[in-house]
Amino acid sequence: TTDKSVGYIALEESIERTALGIVGLEMGKQLHLDPESIYEDLEFDEAYTNTVGSGRMWLYDHWGSLDADRLLSHVMHMAKAMDVEYVVLDHVSIVVSGMQDGDERRMIDNLMTKLRALVEECGIALILVSHLKRPSDGRGHEEGTSTSLAHLRGSAAIAQLSDMVVGLERNQQDTEHKHLTAIRVLKNRFSGETGVCDNLSFNPLTGRMAECNFEAL
């Protein structure tokens, strides 16, 4: 739980799925795997009140591509009317996928410029999720390939206009280490420090990730 207000814009899942995931993290259970169980779980009401039902979390009810100006107006509304301090946008590519222009790079350039200006105007923190393009050597990121700024999909503006860029690396095909994720700082406008900063282990029973001692993948 936190006393900060958060706005969550997930464009690839329903708000019901998002809410179950967030409440499940509070409970240490993957509720979406067995949603009927929540009606019998005595911990659910308290976990819901502490998270999604706290009045500090706002979920945007939308799926699929979203007009850029409409997206900006919703983020502005969250910041100004709801006092949201953190906005999570998942993910940038789907925002422009339904636009008629067809030039993904130029559309992302324009979107990133507008988002950066909005962040400065509203004084919010925007956590923007970006998919990656496949590396030229053919080995995908799902097999543990190290991330880099050059792998950001669509436009260099994603890296140029961000204060921090963090890559998550996991080899999901490795039987022994498939639940281990390396966190790599690719850009750090504040201190300049980059490189692998931590490693996390995913617990498939609780849905949570915890720090672990493990060399970068």
Side-chain angles (χ1 to χ4, degrees), residues 16-212:
E16 290 82 6
R17 171 62 182 85
T18 301
L20 279 179
I22 293 170
V23 177
L25 286 175
E26 175 76 4
M27 297 172 64
K29 300 177 181 179
Q30 295 220 60
L31 296 179
H32 67 282
L33 299 180
D34 185 17
E36 295 300 319
S37 66
I38 67 176
Y39 300 108
E40 303 173 358
D41 199 318
L42 299 178
E43 301 176 13
F44 179 83
D45 287 347
E46 181 181 357
Y48 177 84
T49 301
N50 288 338
T51 54
V52 178
S54 65
R56 300 187 305 274
M57 177 165 286
W58 306 89
L59 306 180
Y60 180 54
D61 190 4
H62 186 87
W63 194 95
S65 61
L66 181 64
D67 178 79
D69 290 333
R70 186 179 175 191
L71 168 66
L72 293 166
S73 69
H74 284 298
V75 175
M76 173 76 78
H77 181 73
M78 285 181 173
K80 298 291 188 179
M82 302 176 183
D83 294 324
V84 164
E85 298 170 81
Y86 295 89
V87 175
V88 180
L89 175 57
D90 183 10
H91 57 93
V92 64
S93 294
I94 199 171
V95 174
V96 302
S97 64
M99 295 182 186
Q100 301 302 314
D101 186 289
D103 186 340
E104 184 182 36
R105 183 197 61 77
R106 188 173 67 82
M107 289 188 292
I108 293 179
D109 282 349
N110 293 336
L111 177 63
M112 288 299 301
T113 299
K114 292 178 180 179
L115 285 173
R116 179 72 209 200
L118 187 61
V119 165
E120 297 299 326
E121 178 182 349
C122 297
I124 60 174
L126 175 65
I127 301 171
L128 180 68
V129 178
S130 172
H131 284 188
L132 301 171
K133 58 186 178 182
R134 181 170 292 277
S136 57
D137 62 7
R139 186 187 180 200
H141 293 95
E142 70 277 5
E143 297 177 341
T145 294
S146 297
T147 56
S148 77
L149 293 179
H151 294 161
L152 292 171
R153 176 181 168 181
S155 169
I158 299 173
Q160 293 167 353
L161 295 174
S162 298
D163 289 327
M164 295 282 296
V165 180
V166 178
L168 303 180
E169 303 168 1
R170 176 172 70 97
N171 187 348
Q172 63 185 30
Q173 303 303 318
D174 186 323
T175 303
E176 183 179 357
H177 300 131
K178 63 182 179 181
H179 293 311
L180 299 177
T181 298
I183 304 176
R184 186 182 301 275
V185 178
L186 301 174
K187 178 182 179 181
N188 185 343
R189 184 168 282 165
F190 299 104
S191 69
E193 296 177 281
T194 56
V196 175
C197 65
D198 208 346
N199 294 283
L200 301 176
S201 175
F202 173 71
N203 186 326
L205 297 179
T206 66
R208 295 175 177 175
M209 303 185 81
E211 287 185 280
C212 66

